[in-house]
Amino acid sequence: MKAFQFKKFKIQQSAAVFRVGTDGVLLGALSTVVGAKKVLEVGTGTGLISLMVAQRNEKAEILALDIDANAKNLAQENFETSIFSERLTCQHQDFKDFFTDQRFDLILSNPPYFDENDSKKDVLARQLITLDFFSLMEKAVSLLSEKGKISIVIPFDRGAEVMDYADRMDLYLIKQINIRGIEGSDFKRVILEFSKTESPTEMVEFTIEKSPRIYSDQYLEQTKDFHVFGKK
């Protein structure tokens, strides 16, 4: 399968591992990474998001987990061939069984969001079988540093219930990015960022395409340090 070339790193891909996608690119580009020295990514896949964070924050040390051995091996390969390799580590690990004394300043995830179904494609990466939103949040909050943040990208229509669950865990919503696929359409995804420390919530609307297959100026600006293509 063809590799995906970014400006400062290359992502080797495999039919056995969930490929580079827009959700991951947006989480990697839009999450708050400033000041995060210890970063954890849950469900790394190809390693894309961790590599984007490494590029954006030169002081971050990043640990990436994946329950799929194929993904772990592929991400490790992509880490080792990048210029950020010394700050990136990958483990084959079920997040629910992950234990460490370390605390993280930023925990990111592009988690599975489809209900369990008969599809055989990218089952662990796409279906709510091994990890659901609430298990993810409950485990992640136990691993946060005092001022740490959790940043996830999920379907927009699941956002309210995740925010309600986070509130019950005494987490504060500090950033909400509502994402539409094309200008004028309904919101499709949402990036939610939570912290144990209260601060005003940053609310953003984000549009990926201004017309079919034509990226918006907003998308091009936010991803200009990563994508090789220029403004159309």
Side-chain angles (χ1 to χ4, degrees):
M1 181 171 288
K2 186 178 180 181
F4 203 109
Q5 182 67 57
F6 289 88
K7 286 187 176 180
K8 294 188 176 182
F9 58 85
K10 180 184 289 187
I11 297 287
Q12 297 294 338
Q13 302 194 96
S14 164
V17 177
F18 192 71
R19 270 71 64 205
V20 169
T22 303
D23 289 357
V25 170
L26 290 177
L27 188 65
L30 300 177
S31 294
T32 304
V33 302
V34 175
K37 295 182 178 180
K38 299 293 184 180
V39 178
L40 176 68
E41 186 193 357
V42 181
T44 192
T46 61
L48 166 68
I49 295 168
S50 288
L51 283 159
M52 293 181 74
V53 173
Q55 180 178 324
R56 292 178 61 204
N57 181 345
E58 64 182 15
K59 295 183 179 180
E61 294 182 359
I62 303 160
L63 172 60
L65 309 179
D66 207 290
I67 195 172
D68 184 347
N70 291 316
K72 181 270 177 185
N73 292 335
L74 183 61
Q76 189 69 47
E77 176 185 350
N78 288 326
F79 291 170
E80 290 174 354
T81 57
S82 78
I83 59 174
F84 315 112
S85 59
E86 292 184 358
R87 296 187 285 116
L88 291 158
T89 305
C90 193
Q91 290 183 16
H92 177 211
Q93 178 70 58
D94 184 338
F95 184 53
K96 296 193 299 297
D97 298 327
F98 175 64
F99 295 98
T100 178
D101 291 331
Q102 190 172 19
R103 293 297 175 260
F104 298 92
D105 305 311
L106 176 62
I107 299 175
L108 307 106
S109 185
N110 175 16
Y113 52 76
F114 287 114
D115 291 331
E116 189 171 353
N117 57 65
D118 293 332
S119 173
K120 303 302 181 185
K121 183 179 180 181
D122 303 315
V123 174
L124 294 180
R126 295 166 65 91
Q127 296 183 31
L128 293 165
I129 296 174
T130 61
L131 186 67
D132 58 49
F133 303 138
F134 311 115
S135 298
L136 169 65
M137 294 289 290
E138 186 173 2
K139 183 71 176 185
V141 72
S142 71
L143 296 169
L144 279 184
S145 62
E146 183 179 351
K147 296 183 178 180
K149 300 177 178 67
I150 300 170
S151 188
I152 62 172
V153 56
I154 60 174
F156 180 79
D157 61 7
R158 302 296 301 274
E161 60 184 305
V162 172
M163 286 186 277
D164 180 66
Y165 190 75
D167 183 63
R168 283 182 274 152
M169 291 190 292
D170 296 322
L171 287 171
Y172 297 98
L173 178 67
I174 59 173
K175 182 187 285 188
Q176 178 176 343
I177 305 174
N178 298 326
I179 302 166
R180 53 171 58 91
I182 195 165
E183 191 171 319
S185 66
D186 293 336
F187 293 120
K188 180 181 180 183
R189 298 283 186 270
V190 61
I191 291 176
L192 299 174
E193 200 160 277
F194 301 97
S195 176
K196 293 179 179 179
T197 304
E198 185 175 10
S199 64
T201 303
E202 180 183 355
M203 299 290 292
V204 179
E205 291 189 6
F206 193 95
T207 300
I208 298 171
E209 295 181 337
K210 57 185 176 182
S211 59
R213 295 179 294 281
I214 303 296
Y215 286 117
S216 69
D217 293 341
Q218 190 178 25
Y219 181 86
L220 291 170
E221 175 63 25
Q222 291 295 327
T223 62
K224 65 183 180 181
D225 292 334
F226 300 100
H227 279 310
V228 175
F229 56 73
K231 182 177 178 181
K232 294 183 180 181

